Amino acid sequence: ESFFVGDGTFATFREDGLDIHSEKRSVRIPYGELRAFSVCTRKSPRESGEWSIVLEIPSSYLSQEESGVSLVQADDKPRLRAVLARRGIAVLGEPSDGKKGKFKCEKAFYLPNKQKRAGAVFWTVLGALVAVGGVFVGIFWNAAAGGIMGALGVFLLARGIYAFIGARALFAIYEEGIYWRGSQTERVFLKWEEIVRVAAEEKNGFPLLFVQCECGGYRFPRPQGALEAIAEKHPEKSAGGAKQS
């Protein structure tokens, strides 16, 4: 009854509690202080995603200096669910019913990525210069070389324009939840069922949106009007006001 939970660490179910252990240390958590959640990590606004079982344990078992709770994640396997059932630990959260399909977007908010746009402007300017240089080379020196330079310039110019258009983050409100896409690798979709509270925060003067879920929380850049749109759709999940973080 042992399961891999990452970084050379295992969760082993004993008779009187759960052992979180690695080669260096081991701690035991009584079953009465343990909660389990079924979680689907979605990177796109659709039903399908990566399913896991998240174990919530008091942080004090991992460090005496910490409070609150810590999360331990394991792959969602029938064997793990069977062990949890035998130990009398209910699996909370979203049921993995195997549904598929895309979600419906209602409102979209875009935020420019200044760093990426600066890079895109560089490639756009470079492409334009190379393309113009290719024209002069073709006229005054060698037509073949000028043609190659011109083609390269057009390619760089198109690349820069495409990158400039795509250099923006997206925060969207869906009928089924909220979606954040900062880049192709920084994407997450959260369903309303797993969201407990949404609140405004500020950090170093930068507006953030804090999304508290059943297990864990997320912070996203806050587009103007996003919190108000969420409050209109789900007032029970909205917490007004801003606080320093």
Side-chain angles (χ1 to χ4, degrees):
E1 297 187 349
S2 187
F3 302 88
F4 180 70
V5 291
D7 295 330
T9 305
F10 293 84
T12 301
F13 291 81
R14 310 292 187 186
E15 289 301 320
D16 55 348
L18 174 70
D19 281 356
I20 303 295
H21 58 99
S22 63
E23 291 183 356
K24 296 182 179 180
R25 62 176 302 195
S26 176
V27 296
R28 179 163 299 182
I29 301 96
Y31 289 130
E33 299 188 52
L34 174 71
R35 293 203 303 171
F37 293 88
S38 173
V39 175
C40 183
T41 303
R42 296 179 171 90
K43 294 187 176 181
S44 298
R46 60 179 67 236
E47 280 287 359
S48 58
E50 183 178 345
W51 287 92
S52 61
I53 297 293
V54 174
L55 304 176
E56 181 188 271
I57 61 177
S59 298
S60 58
Y61 283 97
L62 302 178
S63 173
Q64 295 181 353
E65 300 176 355
E66 295 186 16
S67 59
V69 297
S70 296
L71 305 176
V72 177
Q73 182 174 325
D75 292 339
D76 188 349
K77 298 179 179 179
R79 184 169 64 89
L80 176 55
R81 287 181 175 267
V83 170
L84 291 169
R86 284 198 299 271
R87 300 298 180 184
I89 302 171
V91 179
L92 310 173
E94 183 180 355
S96 54
D97 48 19
K99 290 182 179 179
K100 295 184 178 180
K102 295 183 178 180
F103 297 148
K104 178 183 178 182
C105 181
E106 296 183 339
K107 292 184 179 181
F109 303 87
Y110 292 95
L111 298 94
N113 187 317
K114 295 181 180 180
Q115 184 177 4
K116 288 186 176 181
R117 284 197 168 183
V121 169
F122 169 79
W123 288 110
T124 302
V125 173
L126 178 62
L129 292 175
V130 173
V132 172
V135 173
F136 283 97
V137 169
I139 294 175
F140 297 105
W141 181 54
N142 185 286
I148 294 174
M149 282 189 64
L152 177 60
V154 171
F155 170 77
L156 295 175
L157 181 63
R159 173 183 172 177
I161 294 174
Y162 178 80
F164 185 86
I165 295 174
R168 57 181 183 174
L170 167 66
F171 182 86
I173 299 175
Y174 282 70
E175 175 66 28
E176 297 81 1
I178 59 176
Y179 177 58
W180 166 257
R181 185 191 67 209
S183 65
Q184 288 301 315
T185 57
E186 184 190 350
R187 298 178 292 150
V188 63
F189 184 89
L190 303 171
K191 296 184 77 172
W192 293 119
E193 291 87 339
E194 60 184 307
I195 296 174
V196 176
R197 182 177 68 97
V198 182
E201 289 187 354
E202 287 188 6
K203 185 172 184 180
N204 299 327
F206 189 78
L208 299 175
L209 199 65
F210 175 63
V211 182
Q212 177 67 53
C213 296
E214 290 182 331
C215 52
Y218 298 81
R219 284 178 172 85
F220 307 116
R222 173 163 45 96
Q224 185 175 2
L227 185 62
E228 292 76 7
I230 293 173
E232 181 180 351
K233 184 173 181 62
H234 284 283
E236 76 283 0
K237 299 182 183 292
S238 175
K243 61 181 180 179
Q244 297 294 326
S245 173

